[in-house]
Amino acid sequence: MKKKIKVGVIGATGMIGQNYLRLLSGHPWFEVVFLAASPRSAGKKYADAVAGRWHMDEAIPAQYRDIVVEDASNVSGTVGRCRLVFSAVEMDKKAIMALEEEYADRGFAVVSNNSAHRHTADVPVMVPEINHDHLAIIPQQRRQRGWKEGLLVVKPNCSIQSYMLPLYALVKAGCRVDAIIVATLQAVSGAGYPGPASIDMIDNTVPYIPGEEEKSEVEPAKILGRVEGGRIVPDKSIKISAHCNRVAVSDGHTAFCSIRF
Amino acid sequence: MKKKIKVGVIGATGMIGQNYLRLLSGHPWFEVVFLAASPRSAGKKYADAVAGRWHMDEAIPAQYRDIVVEDASNVSGTVGRCRLVFSAVEMDKKAIMALEEEYADRGFAVVSNNSAHRHTADVPVMVPEINHDHLAIIPQQRRQRGWKEGLLVVKPNCSIQSYMLPLYALVKAGCRVDAIIVATLQAVSGAGYPGPASIDMIDNTVPYIPGEEEKSEVEPAKILGRVEGGRIVPDKSIKISAHCNRVAVSDGHTAFCSIRF
Amino acid sequence: MKKKIKVGVIGATGMIGQNYLRLLSGHPWFEVVFLAASPRSAGKKYADAVAGRWHMDEAIPAQYRDIVVEDASNVSGTVGRCRLVFSAVEMDKKAIMALEEEYADRGFAVVSNNSAHRHTADVPVMVPEINHDHLAIIPQQRRQRGWKEGLLVVKPNCSIQSYMLPLYALVKAGCRVDAIIVATLQAVSGAGYPGPASIDMIDNTVPYIPGEEEKSEVEPAKILGRVEGGRIVPDKSIKISAHCNRVAVSDGHTAFCSIRF
Amino acid sequence: MKKKIKVGVIGATGMIGQNYLRLLSGHPWFEVVFLAASPRSAGKKYADAVAGRWHMDEAIPAQYRDIVVEDASNVSGTVGRCRLVFSAVEMDKKAIMALEEEYADRGFAVVSNNSAHRHTADVPVMVPEINHDHLAIIPQQRRQRGWKEGLLVVKPNCSIQSYMLPLYALVKAGCRVDAIIVATLQAVSGAGYPGPASIDMIDNTVPYIPGEEEKSEVEPAKILGRVEGGRIVPDKSIKISAHCNRVAVSDGHTAFCSIRF
């Protein structure tokens, strides 16, 4: 790639933001031009802002260490520096929704890791290999919200990512899937930091992850849906029953899917 | 209970044998009158025989410490001391089958924890709340094998025990169960001692337990079957698909069942 | 014991408070007559106050379930109901110190599990088998603080409890101990709830417990000290070097002591 | 390095042998020219020989997959193919000693990972940064044993490697070290495969590793010793007391050393 795409990361100091930076470091397509986080971190060098709470196995990539962190809520300060932001902000749901919308309103393409907007009717939940055509909603999204250049898309829940592709491959191949039953064994990293207390996970599995089974049962329908009338209409023809467990594993989710035709 | 039932435990020094003794200690029905194990342990006091390999959290129950362990293969030596033996011997499958049959032949009621005889047509796999009527096969079992007073019954695989009862309750209530899909998270103790290597279980789950899924898919049919023509005829009307995982938990299996009507 | 000693537990809903209740349930000496905690819990039945955050393996002892929790800061409300309180309050250090002093001022004998007052010169750090004679400071403590009947004593850090007794036995036997070097492997329960994040403990040990090494190096001197001039004068003749590690164990600390004569 | 040094690995299929191959893959100095193991593996391609028991995180390095494994006991078959072998054989102590001596007798420089020869008076235990001068014993070793070109050196116990270098730095700097007290927290990989049973390590630490404390107390003296009269004379001036623990960690030992001057 001759010229890299400039991006900002908002919520860059949390565990998900750290993972974004780990993955963006040396990425062939993207060049990080600003990092933003909460007022607590704003004004500090990134290495200082995450001192004592850097959770990746690898060291902080050198290129980010001395970048002075911006205040994510000061959207004006970042306008013009790039067109794309990855959102990993960790706040309450309403605040996330408002902040992501503000970035989109100011012209940014916002790609969010948060679940906040996954249920918003005109925000597509993207698994590009499956529903890239959902991007057709963007002109309508802009019109409905009065955004000129900005846009907002989100990614799905981590545990469904593993099985959506093979499920889609079956659907695409003509199989009429009636229902899927999923049992997951999910790593603690999925809960962010600090996540589950060690005393709850040592010599144990936890058969409950708040909201996870609901997300697993709703999001696939949206991903498999279609754009119609300015919204994503979910395809509810596949029934999903999910049983989500937390296990004492640091990274990597396992999912067992039984598919009924 | 005024008078306790006298029992012997064969295979008393292994991990399952130790669990038998833990559970029989202070039991209101049973009185242990002899302990038998391999020639390696025979002739030693029980406490000496299990020294360095007692795996229970509780101490060796005092009443067993000084009992001199018998050689399990010397069946004659135990005849007349009781009518019931619990079998927890750990040998290869054929040797287990032969030894358990020999005890039955010598007049013992043999209740076995081993999987060796679970597929034997005239040996019932007992879950008393479900298939106590399978005991009707015992006269035929004796006749077919030339046993006068002895008999042989086995218990099912540990991971299916958890869901057979609610499954049976549904069947009994008139639900026509078509299929069940099971995902298990099974403790390492289920593999006996030493079981899985710690380096395989730390920060990991293992999605494979040799033979476990096959057992889970076959044994329920036998338990739900009927006695006919000197054998247990399995009820294959319920399809079972099992996905068995080992997790880093010491004790206690978890099973998620999805039932299709 | 004919007549039990009535006690109150302040901070009864936290993890340490729960442990107090677990240990006091069925205790031959003590009868719990009130439970107090933060305003958040006050007014609720104990079982409701700890719903979703009861961390003991055993169920909530039945006798405590329906006791309505008091507001621990409303000391007046508890005066006259007993003479002894166990303190397990979890607040910042100054607030703990003030609250425990208020209870003592109102006539209670306060026995505290907190570290807040361990460095207070006229508050003995009790290991009864070693320094019961430190209780001789109580009349002076009362005089200095204007307390009529109340008093305040604390227990030491959990990790030093294991080795103080054998250390003292050596000292008592005439050994002139010059220095001790301690390495600990401490369970996560010692950090309270939630304690260490599971992602930090899985497949790991953590060679740092904030403040623990300092406590381990200071408290033994006070326990081995003597009452003089209205304060406990520490015995600094034994040098202590402590190396404290957190390990992925739920309960039970291990300590290795090397003693130099 | 223009020309790489040709090496063979004996005991190439075990866990230590696998680690040798992992580390030798792409090594700038060494080129592996043969792999040898027990008769069970001999004649198979390496990838087949370790099928189902490859324990490294990385895949089997491609360059080794198709090498046909030799029978390690057939020393003649390997003569002439290289001058250096790394020994990772896992057998009983006497068999290891004899086999390593045979390779040396046939002209190989044998560098062994095994503990078998660590106590042999004319076999140096090498930590090159410390005792490279112990190689001066090689001419005497050859003379005493009638070896023409071969030689035999071993590496020390893994847990002492961490602290021998800083200890030596202190000694070299003129500090008169009188005694060291060591507490270790050792990973399960140090025990080879399968190593500790997971049921023994889950929610636990094990304060005993057979032979480890003895090795830790003896080997440093040899490493710090001097060559004299055809043997390594240990320097026993530093007293060592080691307390070795196994912890539920896959890789990486921790050691706490307290040094007395």
Side-chain angles (χ1 to χ4, degrees):
Chain A
M1 209 165 188
K2 286 264 176 55
K3 208 175 165 181
K4 290 193 173 181
I5 299 165
K6 291 178 178 174
V7 300
V9 176
I10 59 176
T13 55
M15 193 152 166
I16 299 163
Q18 294 175 19
N19 266 306
Y20 263 119
L21 293 192
R22 179 176 65 82
L23 295 167
L24 287 167
S25 163
H27 195 286
W29 293 6
F30 301 110
E31 179 195 349
V32 175
V33 294
F34 76 86
L35 303 176
S38 71
R40 183 168 71 124
S41 298
K44 294 182 187 166
K45 288 184 179 178
Y46 185 73
D48 296 333
V50 297
R53 54 185 184 116
W54 177 258
H55 301 299
M56 305 296 103
D57 283 348
E58 304 82 355
I60 305 173
Q63 73 228 68
Y64 306 127
R65 294 189 59 88
D66 293 332
I67 296 181
V68 175
V69 177
E70 320 267 334
D71 180 344
S73 66
N74 176 20
V75 183
S76 317
T78 59
V79 170
R81 301 175 60 180
C82 63
R83 295 284 308 282
L84 174 62
V85 292
F86 292 119
S87 170
V89 290
E90 296 176 16
M91 302 186 290
D92 71 73
K93 193 180 163 178
K94 285 196 175 168
I96 293 174
M97 293 176 85
L99 187 67
E100 293 182 346
E101 289 171 9
E102 191 181 348
Y103 272 89
D105 186 51
R106 300 300 295 261
F108 289 95
V110 179
V111 175
S112 175
N113 192 79
N114 295 300
S115 64
H117 264 302
R118 284 189 203 143
H119 295 290
T120 307
D122 64 351
V123 174
V125 176
M126 297 303 302
V127 180
E129 297 85 345
I130 300 176
N131 64 346
H132 49 83
D133 61 319
H134 283 194
L135 293 176
I137 203 173
I138 300 302
Q140 290 160 296
Q141 188 192 61
R142 284 174 175 158
R143 207 158 39 234
Q144 283 162 193
R145 292 163 173 277
W147 298 342
K148 282 192 201 115
E149 300 189 296
L151 64 93
L152 176 55
V153 301
V154 300
K155 68 165 276 299
N157 185 276
C158 53
S159 66
I160 71 165
Q161 288 173 229
S162 55
Y163 52 87
M164 280 308 291
L165 274 185
L167 175 66
Y168 176 70
L170 288 169
V171 170
K172 198 76 182 174
C175 297
R176 293 197 42 167
V177 174
D178 175 47
I180 62 175
I181 290 160
V182 185
T184 66
L185 286 68
Q186 300 186 219
V188 295
S189 63
Y193 193 85
S198 49
I199 204 166
D200 288 337
M201 297 310 306
I202 292 171
D203 200 1
N204 202 16
T205 66
V206 177
Y208 177 64
I209 304 176
E212 195 79 358
E213 299 183 346
E214 292 80 355
K215 291 177 197 167
S216 306
E217 293 173 10
V218 169
E219 295 181 14
K222 188 171 180 185
I223 294 167
L224 297 173
R226 67 189 191 286
V227 177
E228 194 181 291
R231 56 193 292 272
I232 313 287
V233 180
D235 176 350
K236 295 184 175 170
S237 66
I238 301 178
K239 288 181 280 295
I240 299 181
S241 172
H243 310 264
C244 297
N245 299 278
R246 194 68 79 191
V247 291
V249 165
S250 357
D251 274 308
H253 297 343
T254 304
F256 293 88
C257 281
S258 298
I259 297 179
R260 185 169 81 194
F261 300 102
Chain B
M1 210 162 189
K2 287 264 176 56
K3 206 173 168 183
K4 290 193 173 183
I5 300 165
K6 292 178 179 177
V7 300
V9 177
I10 59 176
T13 55
M15 193 153 164
I16 299 164
Q18 293 176 19
N19 265 307
Y20 263 118
L21 292 192
R22 180 176 65 81
L23 294 167
L24 287 168
S25 162
H27 195 288
W29 293 6
F30 301 109
E31 179 195 349
V32 175
V33 295
F34 75 85
L35 303 176
S38 71
R40 182 169 71 123
S41 299
K44 295 182 188 166
K45 288 185 180 178
Y46 186 74
D48 296 333
V50 296
R53 54 184 184 117
W54 176 257
H55 300 300
M56 305 296 104
D57 283 348
E58 304 82 355
I60 305 172
Q63 73 230 67
Y64 306 127
R65 293 189 61 87
D66 293 332
I67 296 181
V68 175
V69 178
E70 321 267 334
D71 181 344
S73 66
N74 176 19
V75 183
S76 317
T78 59
V79 171
R81 302 179 55 183
C82 61
R83 295 283 309 281
L84 174 62
V85 293
F86 293 118
S87 170
V89 289
E90 296 176 16
M91 302 186 290
D92 71 74
K93 193 179 161 176
K94 284 197 176 168
I96 292 174
M97 292 175 85
L99 187 66
E100 293 182 345
E101 289 169 11
E102 190 180 349
Y103 273 89
D105 185 51
R106 300 301 295 263
F108 289 96
V110 179
V111 175
S112 175
N113 192 78
N114 296 300
S115 63
H117 264 302
R118 286 191 202 142
H119 295 290
T120 307
D122 64 351
V123 173
V125 176
M126 297 302 302
V127 179
E129 297 86 345
I130 300 177
N131 64 346
H132 50 82
D133 62 319
H134 284 195
L135 293 177
I137 203 172
I138 299 302
Q140 291 160 295
Q141 188 191 62
R142 285 175 175 156
R143 206 156 40 233
Q144 284 162 192
R145 292 162 172 276
W147 299 341
K148 280 192 204 117
E149 299 190 296
L151 64 94
L152 176 55
V153 301
V154 300
K155 67 166 277 299
N157 184 276
C158 51
S159 67
I160 71 166
Q161 289 173 230
S162 55
Y163 52 86
M164 282 309 290
L165 273 185
L167 175 66
Y168 177 69
L170 287 169
V171 170
K172 197 77 181 171
C175 297
R176 294 197 41 165
V177 175
D178 175 48
I180 61 175
I181 290 160
V182 185
T184 66
L185 285 69
Q186 298 185 222
V188 296
S189 63
Y193 193 86
S198 48
I199 204 166
D200 288 337
M201 296 310 305
I202 292 172
D203 200 0
N204 202 16
T205 66
V206 177
Y208 177 65
I209 303 176
E212 195 79 357
E213 300 184 346
E214 292 79 355
K215 291 177 198 166
S216 305
E217 293 172 10
V218 169
E219 295 180 14
K222 187 170 181 187
I223 294 167
L224 296 173
R226 68 188 190 287
V227 176
E228 193 180 293
R231 55 192 292 271
I232 313 287
V233 180
D235 176 350
K236 294 184 175 169
S237 66
I238 302 178
K239 289 181 280 295
I240 299 182
S241 172
H243 311 264
C244 297
N245 298 277
R246 195 68 79 191
V247 291
V249 165
S250 355
D251 274 308
H253 296 345
T254 303
F256 293 88
C257 280
S258 298
I259 297 179
R260 186 169 81 193
F261 299 101
Chain C
M1 210 164 188
K2 287 265 178 54
K3 206 172 167 182
K4 290 194 175 183
I5 300 165
K6 292 177 178 174
V7 300
V9 176
I10 59 176
T13 55
M15 192 153 164
I16 300 163
Q18 293 174 18
N19 266 306
Y20 263 118
L21 293 192
R22 180 176 64 82
L23 294 167
L24 286 168
S25 163
H27 195 287
W29 293 7
F30 301 110
E31 179 195 349
V32 175
V33 294
F34 76 86
L35 303 176
S38 71
R40 184 169 69 124
S41 297
K44 294 182 188 167
K45 288 184 180 179
Y46 186 74
D48 296 333
V50 297
R53 53 185 184 117
W54 176 258
H55 301 298
M56 304 296 103
D57 283 349
E58 304 82 354
I60 305 173
Q63 73 228 69
Y64 305 128
R65 293 188 60 87
D66 293 332
I67 296 182
V68 175
V69 178
E70 320 267 334
D71 180 345
S73 67
N74 176 21
V75 184
S76 316
T78 59
V79 170
R81 301 176 57 182
C82 63
R83 294 285 308 282
L84 173 63
V85 293
F86 292 118
S87 171
V89 290
E90 294 176 17
M91 302 186 290
D92 71 73
K93 193 180 163 178
K94 283 197 176 167
I96 293 173
M97 294 175 84
L99 187 67
E100 293 183 345
E101 289 170 10
E102 191 181 347
Y103 273 89
D105 185 51
R106 300 301 296 264
F108 288 96
V110 179
V111 174
S112 175
N113 192 77
N114 295 299
S115 64
H117 264 301
R118 285 189 202 143
H119 295 290
T120 305
D122 64 351
V123 174
V125 176
M126 298 303 302
V127 180
E129 297 85 345
I130 300 177
N131 64 346
H132 49 82
D133 61 320
H134 283 196
L135 293 177
I137 204 173
I138 299 303
Q140 290 159 295
Q141 188 192 59
R142 285 174 174 158
R143 206 155 42 233
Q144 283 163 192
R145 294 165 171 275
W147 298 342
K148 280 192 203 115
E149 299 189 296
L151 64 93
L152 176 55
V153 302
V154 299
K155 68 166 277 299
N157 185 276
C158 53
S159 66
I160 72 167
Q161 287 173 229
S162 55
Y163 51 86
M164 282 308 292
L165 274 184
L167 175 66
Y168 176 69
L170 288 169
V171 170
K172 197 77 182 172
C175 298
R176 293 197 42 167
V177 174
D178 176 48
I180 62 177
I181 290 161
V182 185
T184 67
L185 285 68
Q186 300 186 220
V188 296
S189 62
Y193 192 86
S198 48
I199 203 165
D200 288 336
M201 297 310 306
I202 292 171
D203 200 0
N204 201 17
T205 66
V206 177
Y208 176 63
I209 303 176
E212 195 79 358
E213 299 183 346
E214 293 78 356
K215 291 178 198 165
S216 305
E217 293 172 11
V218 169
E219 294 180 15
K222 188 171 180 184
I223 294 166
L224 297 174
R226 67 188 191 289
V227 177
E228 193 179 293
R231 54 192 293 272
I232 312 287
V233 180
D235 177 349
K236 295 183 174 171
S237 66
I238 300 178
K239 288 180 281 295
I240 299 182
S241 172
H243 310 265
C244 297
N245 299 277
R246 193 69 76 192
V247 291
V249 165
S250 359
D251 274 308
H253 297 344
T254 303
F256 293 88
C257 280
S258 298
I259 297 178
R260 186 169 82 194
F261 299 101
Chain D
M1 211 164 188
K2 286 264 176 55
K3 206 174 167 181
K4 290 194 173 181
I5 300 165
K6 292 178 177 173
V7 300
V9 177
I10 58 176
T13 55
M15 192 153 166
I16 299 164
Q18 294 176 18
N19 265 307
Y20 263 119
L21 293 192
R22 179 176 64 83
L23 294 167
L24 287 167
S25 162
H27 196 286
W29 293 6
F30 301 109
E31 180 195 349
V32 175
V33 295
F34 76 85
L35 304 175
S38 71
R40 181 169 70 124
S41 299
K44 294 182 187 166
K45 289 185 180 179
Y46 186 74
D48 296 333
V50 297
R53 55 185 184 117
W54 175 258
H55 301 298
M56 305 295 103
D57 283 347
E58 305 82 354
I60 305 173
Q63 73 227 69
Y64 306 128
R65 294 189 60 88
D66 292 332
I67 297 181
V68 175
V69 178
E70 321 267 334
D71 181 345
S73 67
N74 176 21
V75 183
S76 317
T78 60
V79 171
R81 302 176 58 181
C82 62
R83 295 283 308 282
L84 174 63
V85 293
F86 293 117
S87 170
V89 290
E90 296 175 16
M91 302 186 291
D92 70 74
K93 194 180 162 178
K94 284 196 175 167
I96 293 173
M97 293 176 85
L99 187 66
E100 293 182 344
E101 289 170 11
E102 190 179 350
Y103 273 89
D105 185 50
R106 300 300 295 262
F108 288 96
V110 178
V111 175
S112 175
N113 191 79
N114 294 302
S115 63
H117 264 302
R118 285 189 202 143
H119 295 289
T120 308
D122 64 351
V123 173
V125 176
M126 298 303 302
V127 180
E129 298 85 344
I130 300 177
N131 64 346
H132 49 82
D133 62 319
H134 283 195
L135 294 177
I137 204 172
I138 299 303
Q140 290 160 296
Q141 188 191 61
R142 285 174 175 158
R143 205 157 41 236
Q144 284 162 192
R145 292 163 173 276
W147 298 342
K148 281 192 201 115
E149 299 188 296
L151 64 94
L152 175 55
V153 302
V154 299
K155 67 166 278 298
N157 184 276
C158 53
S159 66
I160 72 165
Q161 288 173 230
S162 56
Y163 52 85
M164 281 308 290
L165 273 185
L167 175 66
Y168 176 69
L170 287 169
V171 169
K172 197 76 181 174
C175 297
R176 295 197 40 168
V177 174
D178 175 48
I180 62 175
I181 290 160
V182 185
T184 67
L185 284 70
Q186 299 185 221
V188 296
S189 63
Y193 192 85
S198 48
I199 204 166
D200 288 337
M201 297 309 306
I202 291 172
D203 200 0
N204 202 15
T205 66
V206 177
Y208 176 65
I209 303 175
E212 194 79 357
E213 300 184 346
E214 293 76 357
K215 292 178 198 166
S216 306
E217 293 173 9
V218 169
E219 295 180 15
K222 188 170 182 186
I223 294 167
L224 297 173
R226 67 189 191 289
V227 177
E228 194 181 291
R231 56 191 293 272
I232 313 287
V233 181
D235 176 351
K236 294 184 175 169
S237 67
I238 301 178
K239 288 180 280 297
I240 298 181
S241 172
H243 311 265
C244 297
N245 299 277
R246 194 68 78 191
V247 291
V249 165
S250 356
D251 274 309
H253 297 344
T254 303
F256 293 88
C257 280
S258 298
I259 297 179
R260 185 169 81 193
F261 301 101

